[in-house]
Amino acid sequence: MKRAVVIGSGFGGLAAAVRLRALGYEVQVLEAGSQLGGRARVTERDGFRFDMGPTVITAPYLFDELFQRLGRRREDYVTFVPVDPFYRVKFPDGGHFDYVGEEERLLAEIRRIEPRDVDGYLRLARHAQRILEVGYTRLADQPCSHLSDMLRIVPDLLKLEGHRSVYGLVASYLRDERLRQVFSFEPLLVGGNPMRAPAIYLLIHWLERKWGVHYALGGTGAIVEGLRRLLVESQVELRLGAPVERIDVFNGRARGIHLRDGQYVPADVVVSNADPTLVYSQMLDPSVLRWGTAELAKRRRHSSSLFVSYFGTRRRYPETRHHTILLGPRYRELIEDICQRRVLASDFSLYLHAPGRSDPTMAPEGHDAFYVLSPVPNLASGTRWEEVAEDYQRAIFEVLEQRELPGLREALVTSFSIDPRYFEQSLGSYQGAAFGLEPMLGQSAYFRYHN
C-alpha cells in the first residue's frame, strides 16, 4: 500500500486525507497544533462554545461527497440546517436589507430599497449564474498546472466581463449604492477587495442562491469532529503536536517530511495544507525550486487580516439574525484603507455571528454566544496590536451596543479577541493574512502557486 502524508488538518487537509484513503493510500495527517481543524478549531469558555473560524456553508453537497467516498452518509455524522435570511445587512441610517435565497422575497427586498433596480438585479443574477457555470463548474476543480488549462476558458471569461471588478460589474446593473454594497461585499468573505477582485468571484452570489447558506449544528467544530470520526473509522492516523520543519524532495518529487523534533516520515505522496507562502519560502530547499521562487513567494500580495472578538452574554438577543453585517459610514474608502493603504481605520464595518439563532446549545440556557469580525490590514501595515487591540475591541463593543445589542457591556459574561498576530503565530499565515494570497486576477488559477 502506498503511503501519503498530509500536512495540516484544516478542511483542505482533512478532505485530502479522505480522498487519498478512498484511493487506497495509507494516510497519516500531521497537525502542528493541539487540536484538529486549523482555522476551524473550537474554543470553550465559561460554558460557551465558540467557532474560531469559518461558519458559512455554501455547498453542502461537497461535504456529502467526502463521506460518500468512504461509503458513509454525512447525515450520520453531522447535521446541516439552512440559515434564513442568509445575511441581514444593516445600513448606517438604520435601514436594513435581508439577503435571502427565494427570488420573490429577494425581489421584494430590492423593490423596497429601489424599485428601479429589480430588473437590473435579474440581469445581474443571470450574469452571476453564467459566471458560475464557467468559473466554478469548469474551472474550480482544475489544477491549472499549464497556462493552456486557463487559456481554454479565457474567451468565455472575457465575454462574461470576468476581468472587471466585482463592484464594477455590480454597479453596472444597480443604481442604488446600498444595493451595490449588498451585492458586492462577498469577496470580503475570502479576503478580497470588491474594487479589485475579478468579477469571476461574483460566482459566490449564485453559489449561495443555488445551494443556500447552511450551518452545522454544534458549530463548525462538529464538521471537524465528523471528519475525524470518519478518518479514524477508515484507519487514517491523526497526529497532533507534530509540526513539520521541511518537505523532502528527490528527483523533482516530494518523498517525505522532516518533523521539527528531527523525525523523518517517508511518503509516496505529500499533500500540504499549510500556508503556501510558508511552504514555498521556508519548508522547501530553494535548490529544488525554480530560481527566485522562494523570494517571489514573499513578494506576492497577501490578503487582509481579521480582528475577531468572541463573547458570551447572560441575556439573549432574539431579534439579531444568525448572520448580521453592520455597514459603516464608508464602504469603498474603508476597503481601500484595509486592503490597499494598509492602515487601521477608526471606523469599521462588522460581521456579527449569532449561532444561537440556529443552535441554542452553543451557549448556556438563557445566554447567547457571539463573535464579531472586523476586516483589518495584515501585519505588513506595521500596526502595533499589543498597544491597540484593547481599545479596538472596546470601540467595537460600543458600536454593537448602539446599533444591535443594547446593554451589551452590562450583559457580558466572557470575552476575548484575536488579531493578525494569531494568524501568524498560531496558524502560520504569512504576514498574519487571514486568507492567504489576495484573490485578484494576477494571483488566480494558473497564477497561483504550482505543485
Side-chain angles (χ1 to χ4, degrees), residues 60-130:
Y61 78 93
L62 292 173
F63 288 98
D64 295 345
E65 190 231 353
L66 285 178
F67 286 87
Q68 291 164 5
R69 288 271 177 173
L70 292 174
R72 308 293 205 282
R73 296 172 66 252
R74 185 266 305 162
E75 296 87 342
D76 295 332
Y77 293 78
V78 60
T79 300
F80 292 162
V81 294
V83 176
D84 186 21
F86 296 166
Y87 309 96
R88 170 164 285 184
V89 182
K90 304 190 82 168
F91 306 113
D93 63 6
H96 75 272
F97 182 94
D98 281 347
Y99 171 26
V100 296
E102 298 169 41
E103 187 162 277
E104 285 307 311
R105 288 175 60 201
L106 186 58
L107 295 180
E109 285 289 289
I110 295 171
R111 193 174 293 112
R112 184 171 59 80
I113 300 289
E114 173 51 83
R116 294 177 298 174
D117 275 337
V118 170
D119 181 64
Y121 170 75
L122 289 172
R123 289 184 287 115
L124 173 67
R126 288 195 293 271
H127 198 143
Q129 184 177 10
R130 294 195 299 272

Side-chain angles (χ1 to χ4, degrees), residues 211-279:
W211 285 292
V213 169
H214 302 261
Y215 179 73
L217 292 183
T220 313
I223 305 176
V224 176
E225 172 58 21
L227 289 170
R228 184 199 68 80
R229 283 177 50 205
L230 175 69
L231 290 168
V232 170
E233 291 169 3
S234 304
Q235 290 77 54
V236 170
E237 183 183 355
L238 306 170
R239 290 184 60 183
L240 301 176
V244 174
E245 185 77 22
R246 183 162 57 89
I247 299 171
D248 192 34
V249 177
F250 182 71
N251 285 342
R253 295 186 64 85
R255 290 301 187 190
I257 59 91
H258 296 266
L259 292 174
R260 197 169 294 166
D261 64 6
Q263 182 182 353
Y264 178 70
V265 182
D268 298 286
V269 170
V270 176
V271 175
S272 178
N273 194 49
D275 179 73
T277 298
L278 180 71
V279 171

Side-chain angles (χ1 to χ4, degrees), residues 307 385-396 417 419 421:
F307 181 93
W385 283 102
E386 65 276 11
E387 298 176 2
V388 304
E390 189 174 332
D391 287 340
Y392 198 76
Q393 177 174 276
R394 187 181 302 112
I396 287 175
S417 65
D419 56 56
R421 294 172 297 175

Side-chain angles (χ1 to χ4, degrees), residues 1-8 13-30 70 231-232 234-239 265-271:
M1 186 182 294
K2 287 189 175 181
R3 180 180 179 85
V5 167
V6 177
I7 303 170
L14 295 177
V18 169
R19 295 179 183 279
L20 287 163
R21 189 72 188 101
L23 290 170
Y25 285 85
E26 177 187 342
V27 183
Q28 185 179 46
V29 178
L30 302 173
L70 292 174
L231 290 168
V232 170
S234 304
Q235 290 77 54
V236 170
E237 183 183 355
L238 306 170
R239 290 184 60 183
V265 182
D268 298 286
V269 170
V270 176
V271 175

Side-chain angles (χ1 to χ4, degrees), residues 388-416:
V388 304
E390 189 174 332
D391 287 340
Y392 198 76
Q393 177 174 276
R394 187 181 302 112
I396 287 175
F397 280 2
E398 287 176 1
V399 169
L400 285 178
E401 192 163 41
Q402 293 167 7
R403 295 186 58 184
E404 186 65 26
L405 305 174
L408 168 61
R409 283 170 290 185
E410 286 187 3
L412 280 176
V413 174
T414 188
S415 68
F416 65 99

Side-chain angles (χ1 to χ4, degrees), residues 273-421:
N273 194 49
D275 179 73
T277 298
L278 180 71
V279 171
Y280 280 82
S281 63
Q282 298 182 29
M283 295 173 65
L284 289 165
D285 189 320
S287 67
V288 306
L289 297 169
R290 293 179 182 175
W291 182 84
T293 297
E295 285 305 311
L296 180 61
K298 295 180 180 179
R299 292 201 299 271
R300 286 175 178 254
R301 187 157 187 96
H302 291 79
S303 74
S304 57
S305 192
L306 300 171
F307 181 93
V308 192
S309 284
Y310 304 84
F311 59 98
T313 60
R314 62 174 53 89
R315 58 172 285 192
R316 303 193 74 242
Y317 291 88
E319 297 304 314
T320 296
R321 297 298 184 260
H322 190 133
H323 302 296
T324 301
I325 294 170
L326 301 172
L327 292 175
R330 301 186 303 154
Y331 183 65
R332 179 193 296 267
E333 298 84 357
L334 177 62
I335 293 172
E336 290 295 316
D337 277 349
I338 296 168
C339 300
Q340 303 309 120
R341 290 187 284 272
R342 289 175 172 166
V343 297
L344 185 64
S346 58
D347 62 328
F348 31 69
S349 291
L350 303 172
Y351 160 60
L352 180 64
H353 178 238
R357 301 302 81 79
S358 302
D359 183 5
T361 67
M362 299 296 285
E365 187 174 353
H367 294 58
D368 239 341
F370 299 90
Y371 79 58
V372 59
L373 173 159
S374 173
V376 297
N378 63 38
L379 291 173
S381 68
T383 302
R384 299 180 67 84
W385 283 102
E386 65 276 11
E387 298 176 2
V388 304
E390 189 174 332
D391 287 340
Y392 198 76
Q393 177 174 276
R394 187 181 302 112
I396 287 175
F397 280 2
E398 287 176 1
V399 169
L400 285 178
E401 192 163 41
Q402 293 167 7
R403 295 186 58 184
E404 186 65 26
L405 305 174
L408 168 61
R409 283 170 290 185
E410 286 187 3
L412 280 176
V413 174
T414 188
S415 68
F416 65 99
S417 65
I418 61 172
D419 56 56
R421 294 172 297 175

